[in-house]
Amino acid sequence: LLSNVGSSLDPYFGVFTCRVPGTYFFTFNMKKISARRTAVHLMKNGRIEATAEDDSTRDTSMLSQAVVLHLRTGDRVYTKLASGGLLDGSGEDGTITFTGFLLY
């Protein structure tokens, strides 16, 4: 975890909980590690808001997606692996990034 201004991101579960209502920009990047279809959803309160997927037969590739969401206090935003496999982001390779910030 590089930065968590306002402590709205739970670093253990990877869930952002909105404390300041407004319009937010979110993006995520993840490294695929399986030679089969891999899909990752960006979720808001249990609903899919965006999906990044790769169905190539390569063992590794990067998945990324970005979205602008209007959030209310208490809304929860997180990523969910729908299929395939990802590197877990441990170590120094930075294989997983999840960024969000308030636009207005």
Side-chain angles (χ1 to χ4, degrees):
L1 183 65
L2 297 178
S3 177
N4 191 5
V5 176
S7 300
S8 294
L9 178 69
D10 179 329
Y12 184 78
F13 291 104
V15 176
F16 173 85
T17 302
C18 180
R19 295 189 174 149
V20 178
T23 303
Y24 286 77
F25 174 83
F26 290 96
T27 185
F28 66 87
N29 302 282
M30 299 177 180
K31 188 173 184 182
K32 167 185 155 171
I33 60 164
S34 63
R36 60 188 173 110
R37 179 181 178 273
T38 298
V40 179
H41 300 310
L42 183 75
M43 310 291 291
K44 174 185 165 188
N45 299 328
R47 282 188 52 163
I48 298 169
E49 295 291 334
T51 301
E53 65 182 299
D54 183 335
D55 60 359
S56 72
T57 57
R58 293 181 306 214
D59 285 338
T60 62
S61 63
M62 293 298 294
L63 303 173
S64 61
Q65 187 59 272
V67 67
V68 174
L69 299 174
H70 183 74
L71 301 181
R72 296 180 179 160
T73 302
D75 282 347
R76 297 164 44 94
V77 177
Y78 53 95
T79 58
K80 179 180 178 183
L81 179 63
S83 64
L86 300 170
L87 287 177
D88 66 6
S90 61
E92 298 180 12
D93 58 1
T95 54
I96 296 177
T97 64
F98 179 74
T99 303
F101 54 87
L102 179 63
L103 294 172
Y104 54 89

